[in-house]
Amino acid sequence: SQKIEQNSEALNIQEGKTATLTCNYTNYSPAYLQWYRQDPGRGPVFLLLIRENEKEKRKERLKVTFDTTLKQSLFHITASQPADSATYLCAPGGRDSSYKLIFGSGTRLLVRP
Amino acid sequence: SQTIHQWPATLVQPVGSPLSLECTVEGTSNPNLYWYRQAAGRGLQLLFYSVGIGQISSEVPQNLSASRPQDRQFILSSKKLLLSDSGFYLCAWSRQGAKQYFGPGTRLTVT
């Protein structure tokens, strides 16, 4: 069955450093992969989408890479701030019109001031 | 602009009681609609999705059901709740852009 793996341990970094989160998938060939941010008690918020024919995507301080050979996506936040502290979820998506996603369990990021 | 509503925000129900959670979307037409459940400290589990009125696909067999009586209304139901049904229930919608927009969620506690 399809499996999405994200580091279950929290990532604790100093303000100003770059945070790198990993998402690995198996038994799956997604057409695209999305990253979401979730704050406690809230619904996830969409951040970035990267398609299978794209290697890298950037948005302000965020960067996502997508390696279909390694079956891995990396999510980077540069110049991290305490306000970036949240849980980040990766979600690969398929090729049909349902646009349904399979979510990873998320990685919690803590940015220390 | 588009908005998505869920209610109630919190719910405490005894085991064996029925459930009805409602989700409505404003500002868009013919959206894809999704119900997810998130257990404490866990990821999102897709329960149901719908690509049109009356069209429901179930992802996980369980004692829950979903209905879409109107284009922008999605309802999650159960005839008899189990303790394991406790969790954070999220509704989401999407269009052809594929990214999903989530509602505020319903925190369900089954006692």
Side-chain angles (χ1 to χ4, degrees):
Chain A
S1 62
Q2 299 156 343
K3 192 173 181 181
I4 315 302
E5 292 183 329
Q6 293 186 255
N7 196 337
S8 59
E9 290 185 17
L11 179 62
N12 198 324
I13 65 170
Q14 185 74 40
E15 181 177 9
K17 301 293 186 183
T18 296
T20 298
L21 286 68
T22 304
C23 174
N24 296 295
Y25 57 91
T26 54
N27 299 323
Y28 200 16
S29 180
Y32 53 88
L33 190 145
Q34 301 184 35
W35 283 87
Y36 289 76
R37 167 183 173 142
Q38 187 176 24
D39 292 288
R42 309 288 292 270
V45 175
F46 171 81
L47 296 175
L48 281 169
L49 180 153
I50 186 166
R51 301 191 184 280
E52 61 181 337
N53 60 348
E54 298 175 313
K55 294 293 185 184
E56 182 179 297
K57 203 86 170 273
R58 291 175 185 262
K59 178 183 177 183
E60 298 173 351
R61 296 185 294 112
L62 308 180
K63 185 179 83 171
V64 173
T65 63
F66 192 10
D67 190 325
T68 56
T69 301
L70 293 178
K71 295 186 180 295
Q72 181 182 79
S73 175
L74 298 179
F75 177 79
H76 307 271
I77 305 176
T78 58
S80 60
Q81 305 166 359
D84 295 326
S85 298
T87 296
Y88 292 86
L89 307 168
C90 82
R95 304 171 192 282
D96 58 64
S97 60
S98 72
Y99 297 108
K100 62 181 181 178
L101 302 172
I102 302 174
F103 279 86
S105 56
T107 297
R108 188 176 174 203
L109 172 66
L110 300 171
V111 181
R112 306 188 307 274
Chain B
S1 64
Q2 301 91 357
T3 55
I4 179 169
H5 304 279
Q6 283 186 250
W7 62 91
T10 59
L11 191 59
V12 180
Q13 291 283 97
V15 168
S17 63
L19 173 74
S20 181
L21 302 180
E22 189 165 341
C23 169
T24 59
V25 180
E26 296 177 356
T28 188
S29 60
N30 196 30
N32 286 0
L33 296 171
Y34 311 85
W35 276 113
Y36 293 88
R37 177 171 60 203
Q38 187 172 35
R42 305 289 296 276
L44 277 70
Q45 180 187 33
L46 179 62
L47 302 175
F48 302 93
Y49 68 92
S50 171
V51 299
I53 296 174
Q55 301 179 60
I56 308 295
S57 296
S58 173
E59 288 292 297
V60 182
Q62 55 207 314
N63 70 321
L64 298 172
S65 63
S67 62
R68 184 172 177 173
Q70 299 180 45
D71 181 45
R72 291 169 289 176
Q73 184 185 30
F74 206 19
I75 297 172
L76 183 69
S77 304
S78 174
K79 293 182 179 178
K80 288 186 177 182
L81 284 169
L82 306 172
L83 284 174
S84 58
D85 291 324
S86 294
F88 190 42
Y89 286 81
L90 288 156
C91 179
W93 70 273
S94 74
R95 288 298 304 275
Q96 293 183 356
K99 60 185 176 182
Q100 295 188 11
Y101 301 89
F102 285 82
T106 294
R107 177 77 58 191
L108 172 65
T109 303
V110 182
T111 60

